[in-house]
Amino acid sequence: MPTPRWNDHRVLITGASSGIGAAIAQQLAGAGATLMLTGRNEPRLTAVAQSCDSPNGRVTALAGDLTDPAFRTRLAEETRRTLGGIDLLVNNAGISMNASFETLDPDVLRIICEVNFFAAVDLTRLLLDALTESSGRILVMSSLTGLVGTPTRTAYSASKHALHGFFNALRVELRRSGVGVTLVCPGYVETPIRTRALLGDGAIQGRDHAEGHRMLSADRVAAASLNAAWRRRRLLLLGRETRLARILSLLAPGLLEMILDRATR
Ligand SMILES: NC(=O)c1ccc[n+]([C@@H]2O[C@H](COP(=O)([O-])OP(=O)(O)OC[C@H]3O[C@@H](n4cnc5c(N)ncnc54)[C@H](OP(=O)(O)O)[C@@H]3O)[C@@H](O)[C@H]2O)c1
């Protein structure tokens, strides 16, 4: 359910043209926030912006590719100009993969790390003074795969683990500024991410390899993530498999590896 707490907050959301990012945008708009939305696919981004019904906030969309550092700079500048500052940065854009490392083209690995990790770091750097000024919040969409190395997801796992290293360190650096840093780790969520996942040669997979699997809804993940960010929680684990994988990784890593190996054969 939308909450009124975000009324008057200024928010940049990456990956807002689809899935979890679109759900976050719709919920924040419902709560009266003013939004800057971004994603690559302009028609889909525009449709999400039009579906955002903000009682008193404004919704702006700027389409572009986050692998392009010049676009990241432009996006940060437009965010400052349009919103006049920022209270919440949602680093949500992400791209997944399905390939063994031996078939993974190094360029594909770099694309995944650019979108999932470097774009989040860059936008945070570019907007850090404004976030500090507002004692704002940074919400980072990681994954179960950010806690546990997952076969056929080497680059994806690496990019999500990197988010934890970077944002956990940054949280401590920002302790005195009052900026909150929240990492969210969902398990499977019902979105097109797996259908759009890259194969080893960079082709789009075009099917959901987890079809039939029990999944969280994008709406539920969005609501729980916003609630965690509001409370400035450090880490949110979403879904039973995420909590179980976390416990096994600490207490029985060999057993966890055996389960992961079987699950991907
Ligand atoms: N779905 C899951 O099971 C799951 C589980 C754990 C974590 N997550 C994480 O949740 C986040 C959102 O994923 P989702 O499930 O909502 O997937 P999604 O529906 O595929 O949305 C991904 C978003 O990222 C954007 N994006 C991808 N590549 C981009 C690029 N090069 N430049 C700019 N934007 C780009 C997409 O924009 P366009 O479509 O316009 O290109 C889209 O808006 C990701 O970080 C993902 O890793 C998802």
Side-chain angles (χ1 to χ4, degrees), residues 15-20 39-41 44 64-67 92-94 115 141-143 156 160 186-189 191-194 196:
S17 56
S18 176
I20 298 167
R40 251 179 329 184
N41 185 305
R44 268 198 276 117
D65 191 331
L66 283 173
T67 60
N92 165 76
V115 177
M141 201 51 69
S142 176
S143 163
Y156 185 72
K160 295 295 187 183
Y188 284 123
V189 188
T191 75
I193 193 162
R194 287 164 297 275
R196 297 182 187 142

Side-chain angles (χ1 to χ4, degrees), residues 11-213:
V11 187
L12 167 61
I13 307 170
T14 69
S17 56
S18 176
I20 298 167
I24 289 176
Q26 284 152 353
Q27 291 181 21
L28 283 173
T34 292
L35 306 178
M36 170 65 84
L37 309 182
T38 189
R40 251 179 329 184
N41 185 305
E42 194 156 15
R44 268 198 276 117
L45 185 67
T46 306
V48 172
Q50 284 168 351
S51 75
C52 285
D53 190 12
S54 184
N56 41 14
R58 279 169 295 113
V59 181
T60 309
L62 182 66
D65 191 331
L66 283 173
T67 60
D68 176 5
F71 175 69
R72 297 173 196 165
T73 304
R74 204 177 124 223
L75 178 62
E77 283 168 2
E78 279 301 307
T79 301
R80 286 172 189 277
R81 202 181 58 76
T82 315
L83 307 187
I86 183 166
D87 302 290
L88 171 66
L89 167 61
V90 183
N91 282 314
N92 165 76
I95 186 151
S96 190
M97 61 175 285
N98 190 9
S100 65
F101 179 58
E102 60 185 347
T103 66
L104 182 64
D105 186 317
D107 288 343
V108 176
L109 185 148
R110 280 184 192 279
I111 289 170
I112 290 169
C113 289
E114 281 294 339
V115 177
N116 296 4
F117 177 65
F118 287 111
V121 170
D122 238 10
L123 286 174
T124 302
R125 178 178 61 79
L126 290 162
L127 292 165
L128 194 57
D129 59 334
L131 284 161
T132 305
E133 197 176 309
S134 65
S135 296
R137 295 169 170 87
I138 305 170
L139 173 57
V140 183
M141 201 51 69
S142 176
S143 163
L144 156 60
T145 314
L147 301 170
V148 169
T150 310
T152 69
R153 311 273 187 280
T154 46
Y156 185 72
S157 262
S159 67
K160 295 295 187 183
H161 274 73
L163 288 174
H164 288 256
F166 178 85
F167 283 100
N168 282 333
L170 184 68
R171 183 188 305 108
V172 186
E173 284 190 22
L174 296 180
R175 227 175 121 86
R176 285 178 211 167
S177 73
V179 176
V181 179
T182 301
L183 283 146
V184 179
C185 297
Y188 284 123
V189 188
E190 207 174 338
T191 75
I193 193 162
R194 287 164 297 275
T195 305
R196 297 182 187 142
L198 302 181
L199 299 174
D201 61 0
I204 291 169
Q205 172 162 251
R207 70 179 177 90
D208 188 340
H209 54 257
E211 221 170 38
H213 202 286

